[in-house]
Amino acid sequence: MNSGLVNKIELDEYLQRQSALITRALEDYLQKYPGKSQTIFQAMRYGVLPGGKRIRPILTLATGELFGAPQSSLLPFACAIEMVHAYSLIHDDLPALDDDDLRRGAATAHRVFGEGMALLAGDALLTEAFHLMSSPDAMRCVAPELVVRLIHELSHAAGVGGLVGGQALDLEAENENDVDLATVEWIHVRKTGALILASVRIGAQVAGAQPADLGRVSRYGERLGLAFQIADDILDASGQTTAGEGAESSHNERKKATYPSVVGIPQARETLKELLQLCLDELATYGAQAAPLKAIARHVVARAIHGDSKSLSEEINS
Ligand code: GRG
């Protein structure tokens, strides 16, 4: 699995395989409840199951597997991270925030289930994430003290030190004309980066990674998190977001501060390439074992530079 992942077809197959694994595990977890036909369960399933790329939980699996953890130990944590991500998208789409009609190419949860039910589905997914991480199943694979540390880490990434804090400043910075690059980065690191960083760190810790290894994948995760948001902003600014991936339609015409809006698209692309090189440098020591993590970083960046990951290989050393 970890070796020989060198070309785009192999990466696509890998991403599809891992994504299907995570979707099946999420389905299983959400099946366990009695009364699953009630609207709240339908709204939760609608928010988390169809359409997501599953990049965060795939990162958890890839990092955990790099350091030798079995998938069965990683899956509850990977699924919890995807639940937190899905909650954040449902809430972000609500009229009080971005007021979007479309998410992942389909109607947003509040358009289908109403605002109250969508709000509750987001709340339920967020809570469920921590319920799952502290479940007997998870504790059978991972020592309870470590589970507590991982819950501490994910709640930090989801809370005011991460997602919520980043989103709050993003809201305040809307329509401001003089938002500087440091502020944009501050927002990105929390709103998008914190959960991506937590995804790799949690995978590594489930696997019992040594401090030096945890340090390396943490630096990889920090850079990838920033790169992910810059790439997303470039795709938005250049109108490249596709209906199958992340199509959104918003009533919210408010102007957001983004990397391309502050430094321009060419400079944002240069920054992306630099971040990719830094990601790859951190993984150099693992050789082919880190092929999935390297390929994911290339994939995230390449979409915003050339539209594919193959053409990047001539410019970036791995
Ligand atoms: C509501 C507390 C709270 C936070 C919301 C996630 C978020 C913060 C806002 C969503 C809008 C946005 C542009 C976020 C940046 C991160 C991002 C690009 C999310 C989309 O992630 P993908 O592309 O989505 O991984 P899929 O659909 O593939 O899961």
Side-chain angles (χ1 to χ4, degrees), residues 47-48 50-57 82 84-94 97-98 100 103-104 158-159 162-168 170 188 190-193 195-196 225 228-229 231-233 236 244-248 256 303:
V48 76
K53 294 186 290 295
R54 317 275 185 236
I55 286 291
R56 294 156 193 79
E82 186 66 5
V84 172
H85 170 60
Y87 127 79
S88 78
L89 298 181
I90 295 173
H91 279 201
D92 188 63
D93 289 337
L94 287 168
L97 288 173
D98 264 11
D100 285 314
R103 165 72 56 193
R104 297 169 167 175
L163 265 177
V164 173
Q167 181 72 359
D170 200 17
H188 286 3
R190 284 155 188 83
K191 185 176 102 169
T192 310
L195 200 52
I196 289 178
F228 191 92
Q229 183 63 59
D232 198 65
D233 288 343
D236 266 359
E245 270 183 359
E248 294 174 20
K256 291 210 183 209
R303 291 183 316 141

Side-chain angles (χ1 to χ4, degrees), residues 17-198:
R17 203 167 48 242
Q18 300 299 77
S19 167
L21 181 75
I22 290 150
T23 302
R24 272 197 308 277
L26 283 165
E27 272 169 347
D28 283 352
Y29 293 127
L30 294 173
Q31 288 289 343
K32 286 190 177 138
Y33 285 93
K36 60 181 178 293
S37 63
Q38 290 166 20
T39 313
I40 184 67
F41 293 102
Q42 290 171 13
M44 287 167 75
R45 290 169 61 82
Y46 186 86
V48 76
L49 291 179
K53 294 186 290 295
R54 317 275 185 236
I55 286 291
R56 294 156 193 79
I58 290 174
L59 283 169
T60 305
L61 296 183
T63 314
E65 286 172 355
L66 172 63
F67 299 118
Q71 273 180 355
S72 55
S73 305
L74 294 162
L75 271 173
F77 300 92
C79 288
I81 289 165
E82 186 66 5
M83 286 179 189
V84 172
H85 170 60
Y87 127 79
S88 78
L89 298 181
I90 295 173
H91 279 201
D92 188 63
D93 289 337
L94 287 168
L97 288 173
D98 264 11
D99 197 7
D100 285 314
D101 288 337
L102 283 177
R103 165 72 56 193
R104 297 169 167 175
T108 45
H110 66 274
R111 287 275 147 201
V112 178
F113 296 95
E115 275 181 54
M117 196 56 73
L119 187 79
L120 290 172
D123 292 338
L125 285 166
L126 175 63
T127 316
E128 193 55 31
F130 298 103
H131 187 66
L132 174 57
M133 287 172 82
S134 54
S135 65
D137 274 357
M139 300 261 204
R140 256 193 291 281
C141 307
V142 175
E145 312 84 71
L146 179 56
V147 168
V148 172
R149 275 219 308 279
L150 301 181
I151 289 176
H152 188 68
E153 197 152 330
L154 185 57
S155 55
H156 176 77
V160 76
L163 265 177
V164 173
Q167 181 72 359
L169 190 62
D170 200 17
L171 195 63
E172 284 183 327
E174 275 178 0
N175 296 327
E176 301 263 340
N177 286 323
D178 54 355
V179 180
D180 60 17
L181 196 59
T183 305
V184 171
E185 250 183 55
W186 196 99
I187 293 169
H188 286 3
V189 162
R190 284 155 188 83
K191 185 176 102 169
T192 310
L195 200 52
I196 289 178
L197 174 60

Side-chain angles (χ1 to χ4, degrees), residues 110-318:
H110 66 274
R111 287 275 147 201
V112 178
F113 296 95
E115 275 181 54
M117 196 56 73
L119 187 79
L120 290 172
D123 292 338
L125 285 166
L126 175 63
T127 316
E128 193 55 31
F130 298 103
H131 187 66
L132 174 57
M133 287 172 82
S134 54
S135 65
D137 274 357
M139 300 261 204
R140 256 193 291 281
C141 307
V142 175
E145 312 84 71
L146 179 56
V147 168
V148 172
R149 275 219 308 279
L150 301 181
I151 289 176
H152 188 68
E153 197 152 330
L154 185 57
S155 55
H156 176 77
V160 76
L163 265 177
V164 173
Q167 181 72 359
L169 190 62
D170 200 17
L171 195 63
E172 284 183 327
E174 275 178 0
N175 296 327
E176 301 263 340
N177 286 323
D178 54 355
V179 180
D180 60 17
L181 196 59
T183 305
V184 171
E185 250 183 55
W186 196 99
I187 293 169
H188 286 3
V189 162
R190 284 155 188 83
K191 185 176 102 169
T192 310
L195 200 52
I196 289 178
L197 174 60
S199 303
V200 295
R201 282 182 54 86
I202 287 173
Q205 288 174 88
V206 168
Q210 294 301 306
D213 292 319
L214 187 58
R216 277 191 277 272
V217 293
S218 299
R219 290 188 290 279
Y220 162 89
E222 278 166 11
R223 284 141 188 181
L224 184 66
L226 183 57
F228 191 92
Q229 183 63 59
I230 296 175
D232 198 65
D233 288 343
I234 292 174
L235 290 171
D236 266 359
S238 50
Q240 283 172 263
T241 316
T242 63
E245 270 183 359
E248 294 174 20
S249 75
S250 182
H251 299 296
N252 179 355
E253 297 303 326
R254 291 170 293 189
K255 195 164 66 70
K256 291 210 183 209
T258 67
Y259 232 87
S261 73
V262 175
V263 301
I265 290 184
Q267 180 54 50
R269 287 195 167 125
E270 283 313 306
T271 305
L272 261 187
K273 287 187 203 168
E274 286 162 21
L275 286 167
L276 173 59
Q277 187 64 65
L278 292 170
C279 283
L280 299 177
D281 290 349
E282 289 298 339
L283 301 176
T285 182
Y286 306 112
Q289 291 297 308
L293 289 175
K294 290 182 195 167
I296 291 167
R298 284 179 184 281
H299 171 73
V300 163
V301 166
R303 291 183 316 141
I305 296 193
H306 298 303
D308 68 68
S309 37
K310 220 171 96 196
S311 42
L312 262 181
S313 53
E314 291 124 40
E315 298 166 46
I316 308 282
N317 306 311
S318 52

